[in-house]
Amino acid sequence: MAQPIFRSEGLTKVYRTGDVSVHALRGVDLSLYPGEFTVLLGPSGSGKSTLLNILGGLDRASGGRAWFADHELTAMSDRELTRYRRDHVGFVFQFYNLVASLTARENVALVTEIARNPMPADEALARVGLDQRMDHFPAQLSGGEQQRVAIARAIAKRPDVLLCDEPTGALDSKTGVQVLEALNAINSDLGTTTVVITHNAGIQAMAHRVVFFADGRIAEVRENASRARPSDITW
Amino acid sequence: MSVLDRKLLRDLRRMWAQVLAIALVLACGVTILVLAVGAQRSLEDTLDAYYERNRFAEVFANVRRAPDSLLPDIRALPGVRMAETRIVGQVVLDLPGLAEPAAGRVVSLPDFGDPALNLPMIVAGRPPDPDRTDEVMVSRAFAEANGFVPGDRFAANLNGRKRVLTITGTALSPEFVYVLGPGAMLPDNRRYGILWMPRRALAAAFDLQGAFNDVALALTREGQAEAVIPALDRLLAPYGGAGAHGRAEQASHVFIEGELTQLRAMARILPPVFFLISAFLVNMVLQRIVSLERGVVGLMKALGYSDAAVAGHFLKLAMLVAIIGIVIGWGMGSWLGRGMARLYTEFFEFPYLVFQPRVGSYATAAAAGLLASGLGALQSARRAAALPPAIAMAPPAPPVFRRGLSDRLAAFAGLSQPSMMVLRGITRWPGRAAFSVLAMAAAVAMLMSASFFPDSLDEIIDTAFFEQNRQHAMLILAEDRADDVVEDVRHLPGILAAEPLHAVPAILRSGTLSRRLAVEARDPDARLSRVTDAAGRPVEPAGSGIVLSERLAERLGVGPGDRIEMEILTGRRETLLLEVSGTACIHFGLGAYMDRAALARLLRKPPQVSVVNVAMDPAQADALYAAAKNTPGLAGTVLLFQTRASFRATIGENVLITTMVYVVIAVLITVGVAYNSARIQLSERARELASLRIIGFTRAEASYILIGELMALAILAQPVGWILGWIFAYAQVVSFSSDLYSLPFVMNPATYARSSLVVLSASAFSALIVRRRIDRLDLVAVMKTRE
C-alpha cells in the first residue's frame, strides 16, 4: 500500500474553558491514503471536527503527533502552518464562509491570488457547475450554490487534500446531492484526497474509507469494496 | 486590485456614514493644522520678505529736537549699519464728508531720493514733490476707507497751521502693517491714516529746520538691539530722547507677533484633541468590525493568508478612513486658509499676502492623521492577526458579564431589566464608555471655550467703557500744557465737563523686570475717566503712590506695599522711587496710574496736561468737531462711543464666525462619537433586540435599551465637559493675556446650558437616526443568521 498522506499517533486535544476541561480527542491513531475519499462519521462532540482542524493546520494538538506526508504537523510553527495551509489544503465549511461583499468569482480569487499554481477561478467554478453564476454575490445564490462556490474556492489552488466539515449539513437532500457530486468529481478527476465530516450515515456509501468516531476515539475503520454514486444517496 | 482590496472598498461604501463620521473628526484636526501652520508660515514669510525688501528698521527712537549734526555720532555707534533721521508728528485732519475730526501720523520723506529705511511701497500715484509744501502721500487703507484717489484734497492742522493738502499717491510701509491711532483699540482707517510729506515742508511746519525728532536704525549682523539702545539713549538724552526701542516694542510689529503667537498655540493645542478622538473612533469601530468579521479572519487564515496580511487588511481600512479625512481636511484647510488671508488683509496692511499652501504643513497633517488612525487600528489589527484560525471560525463566546457592585445598587434601586441591560452595557466595556464620555465632554468643552468669549467681551466693554473710560471724547494735545488748557477746552461749544490727564512715558522697574509705558496721572476727583478694581470699585492712588494694573503688577512681580522705580523718559529723565498703593483691573494695555498733583510735586513742576477728557452735549457735536479741527495744539481726538461701536462690530463679527466654527466642530465630534457607538451597539445587540421584539417588546421599549445607553453616556459627559470647558476657557484667558490685552474670565450659567444643549441634541439626533434601523429590524432574518 502507498505511503499514507495523513498519519497520526496518539493524538489528543483538550479544550479548557474556564474551570471545565473538554477532552475532544483521546488518542487517535489514523492513516489516510492519497487519492482516497474518506468519510468521518460520528455523533456531535465525538472529535471529528477537532481532528480535521488539526490535520488542516487550523488547530494544534495537546499531545501526540501528526504527519502530512513527511512533514510533522505537530512540530510546525504558526508560520509553517500558514504556509502548509496555503500550499496544500483546501477547506469547505458547513456554513460556506463566503465573504458577503465579494462575488463568486472574487471569493475564488481570494485563493488564486495567493496560491502557487492555481487554476483560473472560472475553471474552478465551471467544475462545480457554476459557470453561469460567477458574478453573483453570496446573497444572490442558493445554499447549495454557495457551498459549491466554497468548494470551487477550496479546489482552485489545486490542493493535495480537500477537508470538508459537514459540507451538506445546512442543505436539503437535493442540493446536498449536487454538492456531493461536485466533491466526487473533484476526487475522481483531480485525484484530490478528500476527507468529509458528516452526520449523515448515508454518505458513507460513496467513500473509499469510513472512519467511525465516538467519544474522542476511533471506534472503527471500514473500507468499502464498492462505492455508491452520490445520486443514489438520499436523506 | 486584489479581491481583498475590492472587499475593503465595498465594506467602506457599506459603512459610509460611520466612515464619514470618523473622517470628518480627523478632517478637523487636519484642517486646523493646515490652516494654522499655513497661515503662520504665510504670515512669517510675507513679513520676512516685506521687512527685508522695504528695509524695516530694527531700532526706533523719538526725541524732542536733536540737531542733524548728531547723525554721524549715531551712525558711528558700534553695531549700527545704517541710521536715518526723520520728522514725525501727530496731526488733526479735516476730511471732506466727515463731521468729526480725523487724525494722522505724518512722516517725513528725505529731500533727495528714497528713504534708506522703512521704505514706503507706492501703490498708486507718486511721492510728493520735495519742494512742495502742500503735497502728501497717504496710506492705502486710509485712502480706500475715505475713497481718496490721487488728486483729491483734504485739510490738515499741521502744528497749529491749517493747510489744504493734495494727495499725490498711496503707499504701504512695513512700519505700519497694523495701524492703531492714539487711544484706539482697533484700526479705524476712516479716521486715522499715515501721511508722508517732504522733509522740508515738515521741518518748516514743526519748526525743526536742521533738526529731527525721530531716528531709525538698521544693525550690522553682529549688532544687538540690547546693546545699541542704551548707547543711542545716551546720545539722545540731552535733546529730549524718549527712550529707544527695538522691533519687540514697535507697535505694528507687536500686533503681528501677537497674531503669530496665537496661530502657533492653535496649531499646538487643538489638532491633538481631534487626532486623539479619531484614533479612539477608529479603534472602537475596528474592534467591532474585527469581531463581526471573525469568520473572514478565520477563513483568510484557513486559506493560508499570513498574520501580517490579516492585520494589514484591517490597517488598510483605517488608512483609507484617514485618507478620506486628510483629503477633506486639506480641502477645508486650503479654503479656510484663503479666507484667513483675506481676513488678515482687513486688519493688516500687506502689499501681498498669499495663503501659500506649504507642502510641509500638508505632509505633517497627513502624517499625523495616518498615525492617529493607524494607532487606533493597531490593537484590533493585532487581535485579528493573533486570532487562532480554529477559534476564529467558531462563533464568538458571549461576552462575560459579572454581577458587580453597580448591579447590586441597581437591583436595590429597583431598575427594570432594560435599564439593567443599559447599565451592564456601560460597565461591561468601561474603557469604551469612558472614552465616549470624554470625547463628548471635549465637544462640550470646545463649545464652552468658544461661547464664553462674547460674555468676556461684554465684560470688557462694560468695564472699559462704562466703569472706567466714561468720557465721550479724549482731546490729545500735541505737547504737555499747563492747567489753563482745561479752562480753554471748557469754553469750546457743547462741552459739559472737562478733566485733565497727564501721560508720562516711563520705564517701570522692579529688580531685573521692567516695562515701558505711559504712566497716567489724574486728579483725585476725576469722574469721566478712572480706574476700578475687579469688583468695579474706583481705585485711587494713595498720596504719591502708584496704582498698577493687575497684569503689570504680575509682570513686575510686585504687589501693594512694594516699591518700584519709575524712570521718566522725558524732561530731566529723573528716576523716582514709588510705592505700589494698589492694583486695578484693566483689560487694554498695561496701565499705571498716579495722582497728578503728587507727580507734579515729585517732578518739582506745576501740574501738566497731555489729554483732556470731555463729556459733551450730543446736540452740539458738530460745532465741537468744527472747533476741534481748527484748534492749534491738538494732536488728535478719540471719540469713545465710536471706539466702542467699532469694537463691538468688529469683535462681534469675529465672534460670530468663531462660534459657528466651534459649533460645527462640536457637532462633528458628537455625531462622530454618538453615531458610531449607536451603530456598534446596534450591531452587537441586534439579536438581543430582535429577541425582545419577538417576545413582545414594543419598538420604543427595544429602542430604549440602545438609545438609553447612548444618552446615559451623553448625560454623564456633561459635568465632565463643564469641568474641561472651564479649564479650556481658563487656558485661553491665560494664553490670550499679553501686554496688549487681557480677557476677563466670565462663565455664565447660560454658557454651560448652551454647550450642553448642542451636544445633547447632536447625540439625540444620532440616536434617532440609528433608532430608525431598529424599527426596520427584520426579526426573522436576524434570528436565522449566525453571529
Side-chain angles (χ1 to χ4, degrees):
Chain A
M1 197 170 237
Q3 196 200 356
I5 191 161
F6 279 124
R7 191 158 62 85
S8 74
E9 283 177 4
L11 211 55
T12 63
K13 177 73 188 177
V14 183
Y15 290 109
R16 284 195 178 80
T17 42
D19 305 332
V20 191
S21 303
V22 177
H23 291 262
L25 294 180
R26 297 168 184 267
V28 171
D29 303 308
L30 179 70
S31 294
L32 300 177
Y33 296 89
E36 275 190 352
F37 192 112
T38 305
V39 166
L40 306 186
L41 266 178
S44 289
S46 58
K48 311 177 298 283
S49 294
T50 306
L51 176 67
L52 199 75
N53 284 344
I54 293 172
L55 294 182
L58 287 178
D59 207 349
R60 294 179 165 284
S62 308
R65 304 169 76 185
W67 289 265
F68 167 75
D70 297 331
H71 309 289
E72 187 181 345
L73 295 172
T74 39
M76 284 186 187
S77 67
D78 274 347
R79 191 179 291 271
E80 287 166 327
L81 282 177
T82 300
R83 197 76 235 170
Y84 161 66
R85 291 197 301 266
R86 181 187 288 220
D87 294 341
H88 302 289
V89 189
F91 286 102
V92 177
F93 307 98
Q94 180 179 4
F95 292 104
Y96 334 130
N97 283 24
L98 299 181
V99 177
S101 55
L102 296 180
T103 62
R105 193 201 310 260
E106 288 165 346
N107 263 287
V108 177
L110 267 181
V111 166
T112 56
E113 278 180 1
I114 59 165
R116 226 188 279 169
N117 175 30
M119 67 176 76
D122 295 10
E123 183 191 331
L125 284 163
R127 279 186 180 277
V128 296
L130 286 177
D131 28 0
Q132 301 303 314
R133 320 271 290 161
M134 292 201 240
D135 291 319
H136 288 62
F137 283 94
Q140 299 165 317
L141 298 171
S142 74
E145 286 171 330
Q146 289 186 52
Q147 190 60 297
R148 281 185 282 154
V149 174
I151 294 170
R153 185 176 63 191
I155 61 164
K157 68 165 80 156
R158 304 182 200 277
D160 297 303
V161 293
L162 184 58
L163 305 180
C164 313
D165 193 346
E166 301 258 16
T168 59
L171 302 174
D172 60 52
S173 155
K174 191 163 154 266
T175 47
V177 167
Q178 289 171 352
V179 167
L180 292 177
E181 272 173 344
L183 288 176
N184 201 40
I186 303 298
N187 176 248
S188 50
D189 297 354
L190 302 177
T192 311
T193 309
T194 305
V195 183
V196 175
I197 287 182
T198 180
H199 270 101
N200 185 339
I203 292 175
Q204 61 175 294
M206 63 180 280
H208 292 110
R209 184 183 297 270
V210 185
V211 180
F212 292 90
F213 266 80
D215 201 19
R217 290 192 184 87
I218 293 176
E220 185 193 349
V221 178
R222 188 189 300 159
E223 287 184 59
N224 285 337
S226 68
R227 300 169 61 207
R229 282 202 308 257
S231 53
D232 297 337
I233 295 168
T234 50
W235 63 87
Chain B
M1 194 193 299
S2 82
V3 283
L4 273 183
D5 291 343
R6 230 172 296 165
K7 163 182 178 298
L8 208 62
L9 289 181
R10 285 186 196 142
D11 289 348
L12 218 56
R13 205 161 54 204
R14 187 168 45 78
M15 311 187 312
W16 68 269
Q18 277 174 280
V19 167
L20 191 67
I22 302 175
L24 283 176
V25 174
L26 195 113
C28 287
V30 173
T31 301
I32 293 175
L33 213 56
V34 167
L35 176 67
V37 174
Q40 174 202 332
R41 297 272 159 75
S42 299
L43 208 52
E44 281 170 348
D45 289 0
T46 304
L47 215 56
D48 284 349
Y50 189 26
Y51 281 1
E52 171 82 31
R53 207 173 305 164
N54 291 61
R55 308 194 283 267
F56 184 44
E58 289 161 274
V59 172
F60 308 80
N62 283 118
V63 59
R64 238 183 123 69
R65 180 197 170 95
D68 282 344
S69 57
L70 199 63
L71 184 58
D73 294 345
I74 297 174
R75 286 195 171 132
L77 288 175
V80 173
R81 180 167 57 85
M82 209 186 288
E84 188 169 52
T85 63
R86 303 187 296 188
I87 295 172
V88 301
Q90 289 294 124
V91 292
V92 171
L93 308 177
D94 182 358
L95 302 182
L98 192 67
E100 63 267 27
R105 183 174 177 80
V106 59
V107 179
S108 71
L109 291 171
D111 292 336
F112 305 103
D114 287 334
L117 292 170
N118 304 317
L119 177 68
M121 196 176 115
I122 294 166
V123 182
R126 59 169 176 84
D129 183 335
D131 295 324
R132 303 283 298 255
T133 56
D134 59 353
E135 288 191 350
V136 66
M137 182 165 73
V138 300
S139 50
R140 181 179 70 179
F142 176 68
E144 278 173 0
N146 285 290
F148 289 149
V149 290
D152 286 351
R153 293 150 189 270
F154 61 86
N157 186 339
L158 280 171
N159 199 27
R161 258 179 297 171
K162 194 154 179 179
R163 208 176 287 175
V164 173
L165 302 174
T166 305
I167 298 172
T168 61
T170 61
L172 300 168
S173 162
E175 226 183 329
F176 304 109
V177 175
Y178 187 88
V179 177
L180 212 51
M185 289 161 186
L186 285 166
D188 180 0
N189 294 320
R190 181 102 161 89
R191 294 177 191 83
Y192 191 79
I194 307 301
L195 317 176
W196 285 273
M197 287 182 71
R199 174 129 180 197
R200 221 168 290 155
L202 290 184
F206 287 92
D207 203 13
L208 284 167
Q209 279 96 347
F212 64 90
N213 68 2
D214 188 271
V215 59
L217 309 182
L219 305 181
T220 60
R221 201 175 296 248
E222 306 78 43
Q224 294 287 324
E226 298 76 46
V228 172
I229 288 170
L232 180 62
D233 278 346
R234 273 192 296 278
L235 274 183
L236 296 179
Y239 306 99
H245 58 84
R247 278 186 188 174
E249 286 179 81
Q250 203 267 343
S252 161
H253 184 75
V254 168
F255 274 89
I256 306 171
E257 272 302 314
E259 183 61 32
L260 279 170
T261 309
Q262 295 237 354
L263 285 175
R264 287 188 201 111
M266 182 159 114
R268 244 193 342 261
I269 297 166
L270 281 178
V273 175
F274 292 104
F275 289 131
L276 195 68
I277 295 175
S278 29
F280 156 67
L281 290 178
V282 167
N283 177 281
M284 181 166 87
V285 170
L286 218 60
Q287 251 182 39
R288 183 57 196 158
I289 290 176
V290 168
S291 53
L292 279 179
E293 300 226 314
R294 271 171 80 99
V296 177
V297 172
L299 176 74
M300 284 174 74
K301 294 195 165 182
L303 294 179
Y305 281 89
S306 65
D307 289 356
V310 172
H313 179 68
F314 292 104
L315 279 177
K316 248 190 224 167
L317 183 70
M319 292 299 111
L320 278 176
V321 174
I323 287 167
I324 295 172
I326 288 165
V327 170
I328 296 173
W330 278 355
M332 289 293 295
S334 312
W335 181 64
L336 287 175
R338 274 194 292 277
M340 191 114 152
R342 250 200 320 276
L343 199 67
Y344 280 151
T345 53
E346 265 177 47
F347 284 93
F348 297 123
E349 279 294 302
F350 285 114
Y352 39 83
L353 177 69
V354 190
F355 178 73
Q356 271 183 336
R358 303 298 134 137
V359 176
S361 65
Y362 283 71
T364 311
L370 287 173
L371 188 73
S373 193
L375 284 178
L378 204 58
Q379 189 197 6
S380 304
R382 271 168 47 183
R383 230 189 39 192
L387 209 55
I391 298 195
M393 305 291 286
V400 181
F401 287 91
R402 285 204 174 77
R403 289 180 61 81
L405 180 65
S406 60
D407 296 79
R408 257 168 271 155
L409 284 176
F412 184 71
L415 283 189
S416 66
Q417 287 314 309
S419 299
M420 209 67 156
M421 287 174 74
V422 168
L423 183 70
R424 292 216 179 110
I426 293 173
T427 51
R428 174 62 184 79
W429 286 277
R432 188 165 87 188
F435 213 105
S436 297
V437 166
L438 266 184
M440 286 191 274
V444 175
M446 285 203 182
L447 282 172
M448 280 175 67
S449 65
S451 76
F452 102 99
F453 229 75
D455 296 339
S456 178
L457 292 170
D458 276 349
E459 169 83 16
I460 287 187
I461 289 175
D462 210 45
T463 315
F465 296 106
F466 295 102
E467 300 277 354
Q468 297 174 346
N469 300 300
R470 304 186 293 183
Q471 69 273 43
H472 294 134
M474 294 163 68
L475 307 182
I476 299 164
L477 307 181
E479 51 190 18
D480 293 353
R481 302 268 296 273
D483 272 1
D484 50 3
V485 74
V486 181
E487 233 12 75
D488 294 346
V489 168
R490 282 202 183 101
H491 288 116
L492 289 173
I495 295 292
L496 302 176
E499 290 175 357
L501 182 143
H502 184 198
V504 186
I507 296 175
L508 296 185
R509 246 187 223 106
S510 164
T512 55
L513 302 171
S514 70
R515 281 292 185 282
R516 201 187 135 95
L517 73 162
V519 174
E520 296 176 12
R522 291 183 176 77
D523 289 346
D525 55 350
R527 287 290 164 269
L528 295 179
S529 159
R530 54 184 197 167
V531 292
T532 54
D533 63 12
R537 285 182 302 254
V539 182
E540 299 271 351
S544 57
I546 188 166
V547 168
L548 304 180
S549 69
E550 284 159 2
R551 259 173 314 134
L552 180 57
E554 196 186 301
R555 301 278 194 275
L556 295 177
V558 294
D562 292 338
R563 287 179 165 268
I564 59 169
E565 267 179 35
M566 171 176 168
E567 181 190 338
I568 294 170
L569 296 173
T570 55
R572 292 190 291 264
R573 301 188 65 101
E574 289 167 84
T575 297
L576 311 174
L577 197 61
L578 303 172
E579 184 181 322
V580 178
S581 73
T583 58
C585 177
I586 305 291
H587 298 304
F588 291 99
L590 298 170
Y593 310 91
M594 290 184 72
D595 182 89
R596 208 163 62 94
L599 178 62
R601 267 198 310 281
L602 289 170
L603 295 174
R604 301 177 305 282
K605 288 208 301 204
Q608 303 280 297
V609 185
S610 347
V611 173
V612 184
N613 292 314
V614 299
M616 60 195 236
D617 175 3
Q620 294 187 59
D622 286 350
L624 175 65
Y625 296 154
K629 287 172 184 173
N630 295 308
T631 304
L634 202 59
T637 56
V638 177
L639 301 173
L640 275 99
F641 49 89
Q642 244 161 28
T643 309
R644 195 172 71 218
S646 77
F647 182 78
R648 260 194 206 285
T650 315
I651 299 290
E653 192 185 328
N654 287 347
V655 162
L656 190 72
I657 295 171
T658 318
T659 309
M660 264 162 50
V661 167
Y662 274 83
V663 167
V664 169
I665 285 175
V667 167
L668 287 182
I669 293 180
T670 312
V671 171
V673 173
Y675 180 72
N676 273 304
S677 12
R679 283 303 302 268
I680 285 169
Q681 285 170 35
L682 176 65
S683 130
E684 283 170 353
R685 288 185 186 276
R687 287 165 70 83
E688 283 176 15
L689 296 177
S691 312
L692 291 178
R693 294 271 291 112
I694 287 168
I695 63 174
F697 274 61
T698 63
R699 285 176 180 169
E701 285 164 339
S703 313
Y704 162 74
I705 293 168
L706 189 81
I707 295 175
E709 180 168 340
L710 185 63
M711 291 314 285
L713 293 181
I715 289 167
L716 268 178
Q718 301 312 311
V720 182
W722 295 336
I723 296 170
L724 273 184
W726 196 94
I727 296 170
F728 275 24
Y730 194 80
Q732 276 206 334
V733 165
V734 171
S735 80
F736 198 83
S737 166
S738 66
D739 286 3
L740 300 172
Y741 305 109
S742 78
L743 274 182
F745 185 68
V746 183
M747 203 43 97
N748 291 332
T751 302
Y752 293 92
R754 261 197 308 265
S755 310
S756 290
L757 199 65
V758 171
V759 170
L760 288 173
S761 310
S763 334
F765 171 74
S766 315
L768 287 178
I769 295 180
V770 177
R771 194 213 132 121
R772 287 187 25 214
R773 289 177 173 268
I774 300 185
D775 293 348
R776 291 202 302 256
L777 273 184
D778 178 346
L779 303 182
V780 179
V782 169
M783 295 316 286
K784 261 170 47 181
T785 49
R786 198 182 71 128
E787 169 74 357

